C-alpha cells in the first residue's frame, strides 16, 4: 500500500503483535464473563477491524450491535462533545454490554457515551479498547480491557483514520506530522 505508506513515519504495532494481544484480551474477557451472554457494541467506524478480529477469538456467546458517534470531525483535535449518528438497534436493559473502541484518547467521546448508555440500565457496562493514550485524558474514563498503552502520537491504520483515509492499513502506524501540520 505504497500510496498510504509514504505518509507513515513508522510502524508502531505490527499485524502479528496486534493478533497476539487480541488473543490475550479475549482470554481475559472469557475469564471475566464466564460463559454469560454479552452484547458486543462496535463503535463505528474506527473499531470495525478490531471488533471483527476480537469477536472471532471470544469463547462465550455474543450478539453484535453497532453505534456511530462522533466528536472529532475530520481532523486530529478533539471537539469535546458527542453526537450519536447511529444508535443501538437493541434494548440493552438488563444485558451485559461491552463497548469496543479503537482508541481511548481524551475520553470525551466515551464519557458522554457512557452517561447515555448507563441511563438505559444495562446489567453491566464495560469498555474494551485496543489503544489507550493515558497522557491525553481529560475525563475520568478507564478501559476495563486494554490492548496497548501508547504515547501521545497520532496513529492510523487497523481501522483508525485521518480524514477517513488509512483505515485499510493492516498495522497501526504513526502518521507523519507533515500530513496534518500543513
Ligand atoms: P476521545 O474522545 O478524545 O477519547 O476520542 C476518541 C476518538 O478520537 C477515537 O475513537 C478516534 O476516532 C479518535 N482518535 C483519537 N486519537 C486518535 C489517533 O491517534 N488516531 C486516529 N484517531 C484518533
Ligand atoms: Mg476517527
Amino acid at each position: 500500500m505504497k500510496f498510504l505508506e509514504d505518509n507513515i513515519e513508522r510502524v508502531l504495532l505490527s499485524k502479528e503483535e496486534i493478533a497476539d494481544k487480541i488473543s490475550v484480551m479475549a482470554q481475559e474477557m472469557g475469564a471475566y464473563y464466564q460463559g454469560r451472554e454479552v452484547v458486543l457494541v462496535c463503535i463505528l467506524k474506527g473499531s470495525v477491524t478490531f471488533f471483527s478480529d476480537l469477536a472471532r477469538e471470544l469463547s462465550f456467546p455474543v450478539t453484535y450491535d453497532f453505534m456511530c458517534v462522533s466528536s472529532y470531525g475530520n481532523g486530529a483535535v478533539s471537539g469535546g462533545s458527542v453526537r450519536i449518528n447511529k444508535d443501538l438497534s437493541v434494548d440493552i436493559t438488563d444485558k451485559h454490554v461491552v463497548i469496543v473502541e479503537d482508541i481511548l484518547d481524551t475520553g470525551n467521546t466515551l464519557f458522554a457515551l457512557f452517561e447515555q448508555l448507563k441511563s438505559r440500565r444495562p446489567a453491566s457496562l464495560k469498555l474494551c479498547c485496543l489503544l489507550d493514550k493515558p497522557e491525553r485524558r481529560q475525563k475520568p474514563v478507564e478501559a476495563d480491557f486494554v490492548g496497548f498503552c501508547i504515547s501521545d502520537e497520532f496513529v492510523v491504520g487497523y481501522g483508525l483514520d485521518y480524514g477517513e483515509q488509512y483505515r485499510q492499513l493492516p498495522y497501526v502506524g504513526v502518521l507523519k506530522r507533515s500530513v496534518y501540520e500543513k
Side-chain angles (χ1 to χ4, degrees), residues 94-111:
D94 298 328
K95 302 273 177 60
H96 295 287
V97 178
V98 176
I99 303 299
V100 179
E101 247 298 32
D102 50 359
I103 186 164
L104 178 54
D105 186 33
T106 64
N108 287 320
T109 315
L110 288 168
F111 186 81

Side-chain angles (χ1 to χ4, degrees), residues 27-64:
Q27 277 168 31
E28 281 172 21
M29 292 171 76
Y32 183 82
Y33 286 103
Q34 302 271 332
R36 279 176 294 183
E37 186 173 306
V38 166
V39 182
L40 206 58
V41 177
C42 176
I43 306 296
L44 298 169
K45 305 169 198 166
S47 304
V48 164
T49 317
F50 174 45
F51 180 90
S52 67
D53 283 348
L54 176 69
R56 285 176 289 175
E57 293 289 318
L58 296 175
S59 56
F60 52 93
V62 296
T63 60
Y64 286 10

Side-chain angles (χ1 to χ4, degrees), residues 71-72 78 101-110 133 153-156 160-161:
S71 75
Y72 257 54
S78 181
E101 247 298 32
D102 50 359
I103 186 164
L104 178 54
D105 186 33
T106 64
N108 287 320
T109 315
L110 288 168
K133 286 185 189 169
E153 290 179 294
F154 198 81
V155 292
V156 293
L160 290 132
D161 75 305

Side-chain angles (χ1 to χ4, degrees), residues 38 82 86 113 120-122 138 144 152 155 172:
V38 166
V82 72
K86 186 219 168 293
L113 180 64
R120 303 181 194 182
R121 308 245 170 258
Q138 293 172 5
D144 301 283
D152 182 10
V155 292
V172 173

Side-chain angles (χ1 to χ4, degrees), residues 139-167:
K139 290 274 165 54
V141 183
E142 291 309 319
D144 301 283
F145 307 100
V146 190
F148 303 90
C149 283
I150 63 171
S151 59
D152 182 10
E153 290 179 294
F154 198 81
V155 292
V156 293
Y158 198 71
L160 290 132
D161 75 305
Y162 175 69
E164 294 298 329
Q165 297 294 320
Y166 305 96
R167 296 192 197 275

